């Protein structure tokens, strides 16, 4: 990898957050996110509305990210964007914007895989910050609304998915169970919030069984739905009365399920560098339990800052920066790839 320096603008628009960030010589100068509250009233992301909101947000978010970074458009040396995976219409807004800006500035265009971005968020550093970074090879448990993957990371762009969910993603499981509890979308953070006051041993759910390093959450979701429906039949106020204990119990089941395979893969591969990434890595119980597990197993544990857990352009800019050092650029013919693989 050359030591050429660069100033990269990262753009993320794969789902319902429009985000722009600036990375200079590997250090983050800004990371701004425009969230789309419009989806709350529909109980999930509506793709058409997401694209429209991205179109409205993208120019102001990019301008604000450049301003906060104290960088002009002309100083940029590359533009990176999320090419996939994600929603086609949403991705296209970021892709088209990045293409036209790179063309007008005559600078390299860099495509980034969103899932690799989540993993590489661990390498984001603030100016002058000296932080312990993961050493290769490390294992990353990437848990978001769309994915649940156990990834072996041997180099910045050498990643191998060792296991993944066979049905629902962990974030999807959180959100669907939150819906059963009548919480607004996205319910994952609310389960986390209410669980803080709850007793996780009060209700018992079966831990899903799967082969090798894979996950499955759909059976747990059905079990949870049936349990709540039955309880509400006897007492319509069951959820309200037991909210904290229900949230703590289901959250603990999901976290234990995620850890069972994480432990297995780290033991089998004899790897002691363990990281988490993606929106669900913002979960406070997951974070605390991982620290405890790390101490017990003598792992070096890496937990991203909150702003780099959920979708953000900082992770796209840092991945773009490493691609830039490798001179991995794409041409104007590039387009979105909603099913892009790691
Ligand atoms: O990575 P992300 O922002 O978007 C995707 O690429 O999917 O992840 C969003 C997911 C949602 O399912 C959301 O409910 C979940 O992350 N999430 C959480 C928490 N914060 C976000 N789940 C549990 N506890 C949290 N604190
Ligand atoms: Zn994501």
């Amino acid at each position: 990898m050359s030591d050429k320096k660069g100033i990269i603008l990262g753009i993320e628009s794969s789902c319902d957050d429009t985000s722009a960030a600036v990375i200079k010589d590997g250090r983050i100068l800004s990371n701004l996110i425009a969230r789309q509250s419009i989806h709350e009233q529909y109980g999930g992301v509506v793709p058409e509305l997401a694209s429209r909101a991205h179109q409205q947000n993208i120019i102001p978010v990019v301008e604000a990210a450049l301003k906060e970074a104290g960088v002009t458009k002309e100083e940029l040396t590359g533009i990176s964007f999320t090419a996939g995976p994600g929603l086609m219409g949403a991705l296209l807004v970021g892709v088209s914007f990045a293409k036209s800006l790179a063309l007008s500035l005559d600078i390299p265009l860099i495509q980034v895989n969103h899932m690799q971005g989540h993993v590489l968020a661990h390498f984001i550093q603030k100016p002058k910050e000296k932080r312990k970074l993961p050493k290769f090879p490390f294992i990353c448990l990437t848990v978001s609304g769309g994915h649940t993957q156990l990834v072996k990371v041997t180099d910045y762009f050498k990643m191998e998915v060792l296991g993944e969910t066979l049905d629902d993603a962990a974030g999807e499981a959180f959100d669907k169970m939150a819906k059963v509890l009548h919480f607004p979308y996205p319910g994952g953070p609310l389960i986390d919030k209410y669980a803080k006051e709850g007793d996780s041993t009060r209700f018992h759910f079966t831990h899903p069984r799967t082969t090798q390093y894979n996950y499955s959450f759909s059976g747990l979701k059905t079990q949870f739905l049936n349990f709540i429906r039955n309880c509400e039949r006897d007492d319509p106020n069951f959820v309200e009365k037991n909210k904290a204990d229900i949230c703590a119990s289901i959250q603990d089941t999901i976290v234990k399920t995620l850890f069972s395979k994480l432990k297995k893969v780290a033991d089998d591969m004899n790897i002691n560098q363990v990281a988490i990434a993606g929106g669900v890595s913002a979960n406070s119980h997951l974070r605390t339990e991982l620290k405890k597990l790390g101490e017990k197993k003598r792992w070096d544990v890496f937990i991203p800052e909150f702003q780099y857990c959920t979708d953000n352009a900082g992770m796209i800019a840092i991945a773009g920066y490493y691609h830039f050092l490798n001179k991995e650029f794409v041409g104007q013919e590039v387009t979105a790839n909603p099913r892009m693989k790691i």
Side-chain angles (χ1 to χ4, degrees):
M1 209 178 264
S2 97
D3 60 355
K4 197 175 162 207
K5 307 210 161 183
I7 307 182
I8 309 297
L9 169 71
I11 293 170
E12 154 64 29
S13 72
S14 66
C15 190
D16 59 343
D17 294 316
T18 321
S19 180
V22 176
I23 295 255
K24 182 179 183 186
D25 305 337
R27 303 281 167 165
I28 192 141
L29 302 184
S30 63
N31 179 41
L32 297 187
I33 304 168
R35 302 210 186 278
Q36 303 179 359
S37 53
I38 180 100
H39 308 287
E40 281 164 26
Q41 54 190 289
Y42 298 97
V45 178
V46 183
E48 275 305 307
L49 297 178
S51 331
R52 205 177 307 156
H54 283 307
Q55 275 164 0
Q56 285 160 354
N57 293 340
I58 196 146
I59 293 175
V61 171
V62 167
E63 277 177 349
L66 288 171
K67 190 164 174 225
E68 192 176 305
V71 162
T72 63
K73 292 198 295 289
E74 292 70 27
E75 287 175 294
L76 294 172
T77 57
I79 298 184
S80 62
F81 62 91
T82 305
L87 301 169
M88 182 53 136
L91 289 165
L92 278 175
V93 178
V95 177
S96 318
F97 182 86
K99 279 164 73 169
S100 41
L101 190 57
L103 187 66
S104 69
L105 296 170
D106 193 24
I107 55 174
L109 187 59
I110 305 158
Q111 68 168 343
V112 172
N113 179 306
H114 180 87
M115 300 312 293
Q116 291 191 339
H118 273 301
V119 174
L120 295 174
H122 285 284
F123 295 93
I124 298 175
Q125 291 191 91
K126 301 197 172 69
K128 301 202 173 78
E129 184 186 10
K130 279 202 180 103
R131 199 164 37 84
K132 195 167 165 185
L133 304 177
K135 288 197 256 348
F136 300 117
F138 66 92
I139 297 289
C140 188
L141 168 67
T142 312
V143 268
S144 70
H147 294 84
T148 299
Q149 295 180 331
L150 277 168
V151 186
K152 183 180 173 192
V153 189
T154 353
D155 205 342
Y156 295 104
F157 298 109
K158 276 200 195 118
M159 300 188 194
E160 188 188 350
V161 179
L162 300 173
E164 60 192 327
T165 183
L166 303 173
D167 40 59
D168 292 352
E172 201 178 349
F174 265 109
D175 295 340
K176 285 181 176 166
M177 300 209 214
K179 202 168 180 179
V180 172
L181 299 175
H182 321 291
F183 297 168
Y185 177 86
L190 291 169
I191 293 192
D192 187 357
K193 180 177 155 196
Y194 297 126
K196 288 197 168 82
E197 312 292 322
D199 172 5
S200 64
T201 59
R202 171 102 186 275
F203 302 108
H204 296 275
F205 303 101
T206 319
H207 288 243
R209 279 174 188 276
T210 41
T211 51
Q212 213 29 8
Y213 308 128
N214 293 321
Y215 291 109
S216 163
F217 290 103
S218 78
L220 181 63
K221 180 186 66 187
T222 311
Q223 190 193 9
F224 185 74
L225 175 70
N226 291 337
F227 167 74
I228 297 292
R229 278 202 184 141
N230 286 339
C231 294
E232 283 186 323
R233 209 168 291 137
D234 298 337
D235 175 4
N237 296 322
F238 175 79
V239 169
E240 201 42 48
K241 285 183 195 154
N242 299 285
K243 196 156 72 178
D245 291 347
I246 299 169
C247 289
S249 302
I250 194 65
Q251 176 177 265
D252 190 57
T253 309
I254 296 176
V255 168
K256 287 208 169 93
T257 304
L258 290 171
F259 284 175
S260 69
K261 302 290 173 153
L262 179 63
K263 279 190 276 194
K264 183 169 163 52
V265 85
D267 285 349
D268 290 355
M269 306 262 150
N270 201 16
I271 292 178
N272 71 349
Q273 305 283 298
V274 176
I276 50 171
V280 180
S281 65
N283 183 269
S284 51
H285 187 56
L286 181 73
R287 296 165 84 92
T288 321
E289 291 303 304
L290 182 64
K291 279 185 207 146
K292 285 191 208 157
L293 183 62
E295 276 167 28
K296 199 171 134 205
K297 305 282 279 175
R298 297 179 181 232
W299 291 341
D300 282 337
V301 160
F302 300 90
I303 300 174
E305 243 182 64
F306 282 114
Q307 61 167 324
Y308 306 127
C309 289
T310 44
D311 290 347
N312 68 89
M315 67 189 204
I316 303 307
I318 192 78
Y321 174 69
Y322 290 119
H323 277 310
F324 176 82
L325 296 181
N326 284 343
K327 296 195 175 55
E328 287 157 356
F329 306 136
V330 289
Q332 285 287 326
E333 70 288 348
V334 70
T335 190
N337 179 357
R339 298 186 177 276
M340 196 174 197
K341 297 262 180 270
I342 264 193

